Amino acid sequence: MGIKLGMVGLGAFGRGFANLFMSHPLVDSIALCDREPERIKAFMDLDFWQAKLNHDACGTSYEDMLRTDVDAIVIITQPWLHAPQCIQALEAGKSVYSAVPIISVPDGDEILDWCSKLVDAVKRSGRHYMLGETTYYRPQAMYARKRAAEGAFGEFTYSQGEYFHDFRDLYKVRERRTNSSSGREWLEREKAYDARGCVMSPMFYPTHSVAGPICVTKTHAVKACCFGQRPFEGEDYFGDDPRRFSNTTALFQMSNGGAMRIIEHREASISREMFSIYGTQGTFEGSEAHEGGHNLWIKGHTPTPLSVDEMRDPLPPDVAKAWEGETFQSSYGGHGGSHPYLVHEFVESVAQERPPAINIWEACRYMTPGVAAHQSAQRGGELVDVVDFGDAPE
Ligand SMILES: NC(=O)c1ccc[n+]([C@@H]2O[C@H](COP(=O)([O-])OP(=O)(O)OC[C@H]3O[C@@H](n4cnc5c(N)ncnc54)[C@H](O)[C@@H]3O)[C@@H](O)[C@H]2O)c1
């Protein structure tokens, strides 16, 4: 049986996802919500949307959408809004998909608090939460999880993950995200964080770098040691607070005794979201397509190069067919081709009334290491315990 979906947030990222969600064969109808009415209208006028568009439930009010009979909500609003909006959806009896991260605010304790509130809301509501972490469905992650399931790595000894994203690009992103009603409200709210002496950290958005190692090894971080570097050039972007870092590099002890090295750099000359995993029997080394894409499986000291097609799982044929054609090319290609897989996993999990792969317990393990790492960096590399919310219930 198909599902009725509601989607909130039709900005730069949400627009591409809207087409994918609408066209999924298990979606019977879709309603759209954005505080900027012209962003909804852009879809209402499209011929190929008419068959599934739930006109009555479309509008500028999220609260109104929650009162309709949609089964599930997709949230692709600005990152400081995600967690409270997800809790509202769960409390209204809807399963919910959230763009990454769980929440982005310049206060580590508040991030942990929202994680805890979300875990409680999922337990209380009996509904499901999924984090749309793109790295989870990169071909490299799909391949390494398969090898891990076969036991081909042996024991996991070490992993590394990186997210290099330069502030010169992030400037533009910030400008766009604050240029809307909800964006302008945030500029006001930010002043209260400043007044409390809170500073943003690259480690408050560690999901792209830690998700690969954690989803493959099925271990979690227990202790963090991190070093931070002050900005060299980007005073305008990072501000002049001496506690603010542009680049942070952390080492974590993992729950199996191994180690994970994580890079979150916002002042960088390269762009990369990738990971590598080392075991006693096998090793996977990942590489981005724009860097040559030399992904390797290494066993007995012999490296085997891997193509993207070899690494990637196939989508069910009817789902893949629904996304054929030009309209979908840009959304399909984004972040290692992960977007269609995220959409399929969420829609199928709602239709089958099962927890999604990146449930709230998994998602928290992609967030809490960063909070501990930032604390460690603020204390000059002191060892800090990582908060853990436990395994997803069986
Ligand atoms: N690799 C990745 O996974 C990845 C990449 C890019 C963006 N993202 C995430 O996607 C999210 C969206 O980013 P973006 O660049 O599209 O932002 P954006 O500012 O362009 O779009 C956000 C939209 O949400 C709408 N909105 C906010 N609050 C609302 C409310 N209460 N009701 C209705 N509409 C509301 C805004 O009006 C806006 O149109 C971010 O959280 C970001 O972290 C993830």
Side-chain angles (χ1 to χ4, degrees):
M1 218 182 71
I3 64 166
K4 296 191 214 84
L5 210 59
M7 186 173 163
V8 196
L10 300 167
F13 201 52
R15 275 197 289 274
F17 274 88
N19 283 327
L20 290 169
F21 276 112
M22 183 278 287
S23 306
H24 192 288
L26 282 173
V27 171
D28 287 345
S29 73
I30 181 165
L32 299 176
C33 174
D34 198 291
R35 286 178 65 184
E36 311 299 322
E38 72 283 359
R39 298 185 183 178
I40 306 174
K41 192 168 180 314
F43 288 94
M44 288 188 138
D45 293 344
L46 295 172
D47 283 347
F48 74 106
W49 267 73
Q50 299 312 313
K52 288 196 185 180
L53 191 62
N54 178 353
H55 283 264
D56 293 344
C58 289
T60 52
S61 161
Y62 178 45
E63 286 70 24
D64 284 353
M65 177 176 270
L66 290 179
R67 281 189 278 272
T68 68
D69 68 347
V70 298
D71 301 305
I73 300 275
V74 172
I75 292 178
I76 311 194
T77 56
Q78 289 98 327
W80 54 84
L81 297 166
H82 297 167
Q85 289 178 339
C86 287
I87 291 173
Q88 275 181 282
L90 291 163
E91 285 176 348
K94 322 285 185 195
S95 285
V96 68
Y97 172 103
S98 170
V100 286
I102 286 182
I103 192 157
S104 174
V105 286
D107 179 343
D109 291 337
E110 188 183 334
I111 293 172
L112 294 179
D113 201 38
W114 282 115
C115 289
S116 168
K117 283 180 177 153
L118 268 164
V119 169
D120 288 347
V122 168
K123 283 190 198 158
R124 235 185 3 255
S125 65
R127 300 286 92 201
H128 299 297
Y129 169 99
M130 171 164 162
L131 185 72
E133 175 43 55
T134 41
T135 297
Y136 190 94
Y137 286 110
R138 280 182 180 269
Q140 291 83 356
M142 296 188 213
Y143 177 83
R145 280 199 297 275
K146 281 182 290 225
R147 288 268 100 114
E150 294 161 1
F153 282 94
E155 299 299 329
F156 292 108
T157 53
Y158 169 73
S159 59
Q160 54 193 40
E162 299 97 25
Y163 183 40
F164 291 95
H165 196 163
D166 190 62
F167 77 95
R168 278 158 278 245
D169 177 33
L170 290 169
Y171 253 128
K172 292 175 228 148
V173 175
R174 181 179 159 82
E175 234 172 67
R176 195 192 60 247
R177 287 195 186 142
T178 50
N179 187 19
S180 56
S181 318
S182 49
R184 284 183 285 277
E185 285 168 11
W186 172 247
L187 292 176
E188 284 307 306
R189 274 183 59 198
E190 246 184 355
K191 291 178 189 161
Y193 286 103
D194 284 346
R196 281 203 286 127
C198 299
V199 289
M200 193 42 105
S201 170
M203 278 290 170
F204 288 167
Y205 183 0
T207 62
H208 297 321
S209 56
V210 305
I214 290 176
C215 80
V216 173
T217 63
K218 294 194 193 304
T219 62
H220 59 271
V222 289
K223 283 186 192 299
C225 166
C226 180
F227 296 101
Q229 205 171 23
R230 288 272 301 133
F232 294 98
E233 295 175 35
E235 288 282 332
D236 288 351
Y237 180 79
F238 297 106
D240 56 10
D241 190 314
R243 293 163 310 150
R244 184 99 192 237
F245 302 122
S246 57
N247 292 342
T248 42
T249 304
L251 190 65
F252 297 90
Q253 185 187 42
M254 304 304 282
S255 49
N256 72 340
M260 168 173 81
R261 188 272 285 145
I262 291 297
I263 286 176
E264 286 290 342
H265 286 194
R266 303 292 177 267
E267 209 170 8
S269 53
I270 60 166
S271 173
R272 179 190 292 160
E273 295 174 34
M274 199 33 71
F275 66 90
S276 295
I277 315 260
Y278 300 79
T280 52
Q281 305 291 326
T283 290
F284 173 79
E285 289 191 337
S287 166
E288 285 254 49
H290 68 263
E291 296 173 322
H294 298 300
N295 297 285
L296 298 175
W297 171 249
I298 307 168
K299 194 139 186 119
H301 306 285
T302 308
T304 307
L306 301 161
S307 70
V308 165
D309 285 342
E310 265 173 284
M311 293 189 290
R312 186 177 272 156
D313 293 336
L315 281 164
D318 61 325
V319 177
K321 192 166 171 25
W323 289 329
E324 275 171 4
E326 242 174 74
T327 317
F328 302 103
Q329 287 314 305
S330 61
S331 352
Y332 218 118
H335 302 98
S338 57
H339 300 185
Y341 289 87
L342 288 167
V343 169
H344 176 60
E345 172 61 12
F346 182 62
V347 170
E348 193 188 71
S349 70
V350 175
Q352 295 177 350
E353 297 184 24
R354 63 164 172 85
I358 318 170
N359 55 58
I360 186 60
W361 289 272
E362 177 80 4
C364 287
R365 286 177 169 167
Y366 301 168
M367 290 296 288
T368 62
V371 174
H374 177 70
Q375 279 172 4
S376 168
Q378 294 289 21
R379 298 181 206 156
E382 215 175 87
L383 215 51
V384 172
D385 289 339
V386 178
V387 172
D388 186 49
F389 291 92
D391 294 326
E394 290 292 315

